[in-house]
């Protein structure tokens, strides 16, 4: 009995404990139901929470399900909630074709714009070429056939025995002209004065008559050509800022066509310029079109090309289209014999580019950003047809739905600017470094381009073509190395090599060796310019990428304004010019080591991503060997699949529309999901993300 009595209390105790456990389980179940919308259910994955939340919404409003046979959303109901993933541009491209006939035609359409970019950039160099051999023109002695006699009678000699370029004797040339024996007037002790009536240029050395020769921008006015080139880059700064805004407001094609029209007007009026003021004003107009007349078609093509083809398209367009036109440009100038004819004739292809307003498609991404979603969908359907791709209508419906519920809401809630980059210390450091690197490389690249016109004055056209020919192998080398060794080490090696060869050229006395080293410096300058052009867009987060890259390019134009004065130093010392280019190359190369590597890394999308990007990398990190050689996968974004405009940080968006979990498709005048359900879902995701982030 005692044992039974002893067991009875234990049994009662077990029963009580069992009832407590059952009661506790019921209470926990009720709590779990109440906390399901706040994400506090232990051990439950986020996907399970989203599915249960979807079931809850479906049971509350009795939503119809999608048609399983066609995959289309049923339109019998008023609302359909889809907690699945959005369909982004990069998700849609494989379905409509990443590099089909449509993209190949766009690639071919880049040809005329590559010519325009080459002419706008390099045309002014040939228009303002300064000849090497010239002397003062004396009208009274113009009828003397013997040039040597004319120079002996009017031009003094320098200390090295050569004839002076900028001085003439102060003598009575009328008396000399009518004298029977002119030899009596040969007197080297006569006083000298500056040239009074212009200059005589050697037609054998310079068969192309430049604006410098026509307006006499030599001797004490030799800085006029340099000033005109600086004003060209001033126009580039203004145009870059203005057209960037115009492209956002009116579209890529509008900005492209208007910039080409500005280049056309500027080139035609350049050919009519009567003096320096008019010439400089027209070059500001042409400079305002520079970069935009090519960058817009460049961006447009890359937007329609799949990610795995973008590096190839970006560099091959420069290699097979732009590089040949730069090599051809000096010979086009030489064939016209006069800078006015050269400027007018090269404007003809620019006029043909105006037809692109009717031939080229608008950017589908821009159409979505301004709310023209139906036009964007129709355009993408045309891309699919051109590429012989069959895409179900439901896919385009899904894409349209994604755009309506995400992209427009994101763009409406966006409040980002250049200042947003500098709010995060790490991003601010990256931005400052990219500005300094881009300014150094831009000055080095443009300096080497312009240096080709002064390094070999006797064969300027031949040497310029050879220097431009380095663009082709340089772009091919970028394609072969950039996706293997990474951006950081490639930028460091190639930029430093450009600086080293420039320094070697500066210290070489032999003219042939100097030209060879300078060509090597130009070759590596081409490579590092293309690398940083792509690298800057990858380091900056998506939400500030366009504005950040535009600002970096603008600072590059500021640096390019200093390249004409650097090349002008060649009149004092060619070694000094190359020395400055070499030091800047080494500086830019070493600064590149302090930027993060982007190869095999998911690119930052938000400001928070940008603030953390590269934190795990060390200065010796290399993607081709050692730690980081494999692709580092970050946690999958929980909000949607889209890869081009996604964001997850509440701190970066003031619009609460960006934090919805339930995606709704609403028919006119029908029931919608209540805002309480949306807020509940939002709190669920936030709480779950916070708790797991703490763990």
């Amino acid at each position: 009995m005692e044992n039974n009595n002893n067991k009875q209390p234990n049994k009662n105790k077990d029963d009580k404990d069992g009832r407590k456990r059952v009661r506790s389980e019921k209470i926990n179940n009720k709590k779990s139901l109440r906390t399901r919308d706040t994400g506090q259910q232990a051990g439950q994955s986020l996907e399970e929470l989203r599915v249960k939340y979807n079931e809850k919404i479906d049971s509350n409003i009795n939503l119809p399900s999608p048609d399983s046979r066609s995959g289309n959303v049923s339109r019998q109901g008023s609302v359909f909630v889809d907690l699945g993933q959005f369909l982004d541009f990069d998700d849609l491209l494989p379905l409509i074709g990443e590099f089909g006939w449509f993209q190949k035609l766009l690639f071919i359409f880049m040809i005329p714009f590559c010519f325009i970019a080459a002419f706008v950039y390099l045309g002014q160099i040939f228009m303002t070429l300064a000849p090497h051999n010239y002397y003062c023109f004396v009208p009274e002695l113009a009828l003397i056939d013997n040039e040597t006699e004319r120079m002996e009678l009017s031009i003094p000699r320098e200390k090295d025995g050569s004839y002076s370029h900028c001085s003439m004797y102060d003598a009575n040339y009328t008396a000399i002209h009518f004298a029977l024996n002119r030899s009596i007037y040969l007197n080297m002790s006569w006083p000298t004065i500056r040239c009074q009536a212009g200059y005589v240029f050697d037609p054998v050395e310079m068969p192309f008559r430049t604006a410098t020769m026509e307006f006499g921008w030599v001797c004490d006015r030799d800085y006029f050509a340099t000033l005109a080139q600086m004003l060209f880059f001033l126009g580039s700064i203004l145009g870059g800022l203005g057209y960037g805004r115009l492209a956002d407001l009116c579209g890529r094609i509008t900005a492209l066509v208007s910039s080409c029209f500005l280049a056309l007007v500027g080139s035609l009026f350049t050919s009519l310029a009567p003096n320096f003021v008019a010439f400089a004003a027209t070059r500001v107009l042409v400079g305002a079109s520079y970069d935009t007349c090519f960058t817009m078609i460049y961006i447009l093509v890359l937007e329609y090309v799949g990610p795995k083809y973008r590096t190839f398209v970006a560099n091959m367009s420069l290699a097979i289209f732009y590089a040949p036109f730069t090599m051809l440009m000096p010979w086009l100038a030489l064939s016209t014999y006069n800078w006015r004819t050269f400027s007018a004739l090269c404007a003809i292809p620019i006029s043909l580019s105006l037809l692109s307003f009717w031939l080229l498609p608008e950017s589908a991404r821009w159409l979505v950003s301004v709310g023209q979603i139906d036009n964007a969908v129709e355009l993408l359907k045309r891309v699919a047809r051109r590429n012989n791709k069959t895409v179900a209508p439901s896919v385009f419906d899904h894409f349209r739905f994604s755009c309506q519920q995400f992209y427009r809401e994101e763009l409406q809630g966006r409040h980002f600017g250049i200042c947003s980059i500098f709010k995060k210390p790490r991003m601010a450091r990256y931005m400052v470094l990219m500005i300094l690197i881009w300014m150094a490389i831009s000055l080095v690249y443009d300096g080497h381009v312009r240096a080709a016109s002064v390094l070999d004055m006797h064969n300027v056209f031949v040497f310029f073509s050879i220097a431009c020919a380095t663009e082709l192998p340089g772009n091919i080398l970028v394609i072969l190395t950039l996706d293997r060794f990474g951006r950081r080490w490639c930028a460091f090696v190639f930029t430093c090599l450009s600086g080293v060869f420039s320094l070697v050229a500066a210290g070489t006395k032999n003219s042939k060796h100097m030209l060879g080293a300078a060509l090597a410096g130009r070759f590596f300058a081409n490579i590092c310019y293309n690398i940083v052009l792509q690298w800057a867009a990858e380091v900056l987060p998506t939400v500030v990428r366009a504005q950040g890259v535009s600002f970096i390019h603008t600072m590059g134009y500021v640096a390019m304004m200093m390249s004409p004065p650097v090349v002008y130093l060649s009149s004092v010392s060619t070694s000094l010019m190359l020395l400055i280019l070499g030091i800047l190359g080494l500086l830019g190369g070493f600064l590149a080591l302090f930027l993060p590597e982007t190869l095999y890394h998911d690119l930052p999308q938000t400001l928070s991503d940008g603030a953390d990007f590269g934190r795990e990398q060390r200065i010796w990190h290399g993607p081709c060997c050692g730690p980081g050689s494999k692709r580092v996968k970050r946690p999958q974004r929980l909000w949607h699949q889209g890869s081009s405009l996604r964001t997850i940080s509440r701190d970066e968006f003031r619009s609460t529309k960006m934090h919805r979990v339930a995606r709704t498709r609403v028919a006119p005048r029908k029931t919608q999901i209540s805002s309480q359900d949306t807020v509940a879902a939002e709190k669920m995701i936030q709480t779950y993300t916070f708790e797991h982030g703490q763990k």
Side-chain angles (χ1 to χ4, degrees), residues 299-376:
I299 294 175
L300 188 66
V301 173
L302 292 184
E303 285 184 342
Y304 283 105
V305 172
K308 64 180 180 180
Y309 296 100
R310 286 173 186 165
T311 300
F312 173 81
V313 171
N315 290 280
M316 286 305 294
S317 62
L318 298 174
I320 65 178
F321 297 152
Y322 179 74
F325 281 128
T326 59
M327 297 169 57
L328 185 63
M329 201 56 58
W331 305 106
L332 287 177
L334 191 61
S335 63
T336 59
Y337 298 104
N338 188 281
W339 69 276
R340 295 184 184 272
T341 307
F342 173 64
S343 180
L345 289 180
C346 287
I348 296 177
I350 302 179
S351 62
L352 297 178
S353 67
L354 303 181
L355 299 175
S356 59
F357 190 82
W358 295 275
L359 297 177
L360 292 176
E362 183 54 85
S363 168
R365 296 178 190 265
W366 176 80
L367 291 173
V368 170
S369 69
V370 295
Q372 300 181 26
I373 300 175
D374 292 335
N375 293 339

Side-chain angles (χ1 to χ4, degrees), residues 263-489:
L264 172 64
V265 173
S267 299
L268 291 177
F269 277 98
T270 296
S271 64
L272 302 175
N275 50 44
F276 170 77
V277 175
F279 182 87
T282 57
R283 300 320 295 172
V284 172
L285 286 179
V286 177
S289 68
Y290 173 59
D291 193 52
T292 306
C293 62
F294 176 74
T295 303
M296 287 302 158
I297 185 67
Y298 183 82
I299 294 175
L300 188 66
V301 173
L302 292 184
E303 285 184 342
Y304 283 105
V305 172
K308 64 180 180 180
Y309 296 100
R310 286 173 186 165
T311 300
F312 173 81
V313 171
N315 290 280
M316 286 305 294
S317 62
L318 298 174
I320 65 178
F321 297 152
Y322 179 74
F325 281 128
T326 59
M327 297 169 57
L328 185 63
M329 201 56 58
W331 305 106
L332 287 177
L334 191 61
S335 63
T336 59
Y337 298 104
N338 188 281
W339 69 276
R340 295 184 184 272
T341 307
F342 173 64
S343 180
L345 289 180
C346 287
I348 296 177
I350 302 179
S351 62
L352 297 178
S353 67
L354 303 181
L355 299 175
S356 59
F357 190 82
W358 295 275
L359 297 177
L360 292 176
E362 183 54 85
S363 168
R365 296 178 190 265
W366 176 80
L367 291 173
V368 170
S369 69
V370 295
Q372 300 181 26
I373 300 175
D374 292 335
N375 293 339
V377 172
E378 291 300 321
L379 180 57
L380 294 174
K381 288 181 179 179
R382 190 173 65 182
V383 174
R385 290 194 299 268
R386 178 73 67 176
N387 292 335
N388 294 323
K389 297 288 185 178
T390 302
V391 183
S394 59
V395 175
F396 291 109
D397 291 339
H398 188 189
F399 176 74
R400 182 186 289 107
F401 166 67
S402 302
C403 293
Q404 291 172 346
Q405 299 300 321
F406 179 75
Y407 288 104
R408 293 177 63 183
E409 292 180 356
E410 176 174 355
L411 293 172
Q412 290 173 2
R414 178 175 290 178
H415 298 281
F416 300 132
I418 295 297
C419 295
S420 302
I421 301 176
F422 294 94
K423 293 180 180 179
K424 305 286 185 178
R426 181 177 294 273
M427 260 203 315
R429 184 168 72 250
Y430 291 162
M431 186 67 176
V432 172
L433 284 172
M434 283 186 293
I435 290 174
L436 294 177
I437 294 171
W438 183 248
M439 291 181 70
I441 291 179
S442 296
L443 202 158
V444 170
Y445 172 77
D446 190 69
H448 274 287
V449 171
R450 298 177 185 278
S453 62
V454 298
L455 288 175
D456 190 356
M457 297 297 298
H458 301 286
N459 302 285
V460 59
F461 294 96
V462 175
F463 185 76
F464 200 97
S465 296
I466 296 174
C468 290
T470 60
E471 294 268 1
L472 179 59
N475 289 319
I476 295 176
L477 187 59
V478 169
I479 297 174
L480 297 177
T481 59
L482 196 60
D483 288 339
R484 179 174 179 82
F485 301 102
R487 281 66 165 148
R488 193 162 63 99
W489 286 108

Side-chain angles (χ1 to χ4, degrees), residues 155-176:
I155 308 301
R157 293 182 180 268
E158 301 290 349
K159 295 180 180 179
D160 59 358
S162 62
Y163 288 104
S164 175
H165 293 309
C166 306
S167 300
M168 55 183 289
Y169 290 125
D170 187 8
N172 186 355
Y173 290 105
T174 303
I176 296 175

Side-chain angles (χ1 to χ4, degrees), residues 167-288:
S167 300
M168 55 183 289
Y169 290 125
D170 187 8
N172 186 355
Y173 290 105
T174 303
I176 296 175
H177 172 70
F178 290 104
L180 297 177
N181 184 10
R182 300 190 185 97
S183 60
I184 63 175
Y185 289 96
L186 295 177
N187 188 352
M188 294 184 181
S189 62
W190 283 348
T192 60
I193 57 175
R194 310 298 290 178
C195 297
Q196 303 295 312
Y199 304 86
V200 177
F201 300 97
D202 186 1
V204 177
E205 178 207 5
M206 185 66 68
F208 177 70
R209 185 169 178 80
T210 66
T212 299
M213 299 165 63
E214 181 175 330
F215 296 125
W217 297 339
V218 292
C219 297
D220 56 342
R221 304 177 67 194
D222 59 351
Y223 64 91
F224 277 27
T226 300
L227 182 59
Q229 295 179 12
M230 293 179 66
L231 292 174
F232 172 87
F233 286 112
L234 176 62
S236 300
I237 296 173
L238 300 177
L241 297 176
Y243 277 115
R245 181 62 175 168
L246 180 65
D248 290 337
L249 294 177
C250 303
R252 309 295 189 254
I253 299 300
T254 302
L256 178 66
V257 173
S258 60
S259 64
C260 290
F261 179 75
L262 191 61
L264 172 64
V265 173
S267 299
L268 291 177
F269 277 98
T270 296
S271 64
L272 302 175
N275 50 44
F276 170 77
V277 175
F279 182 87
T282 57
R283 300 320 295 172
V284 172
L285 286 179
V286 177

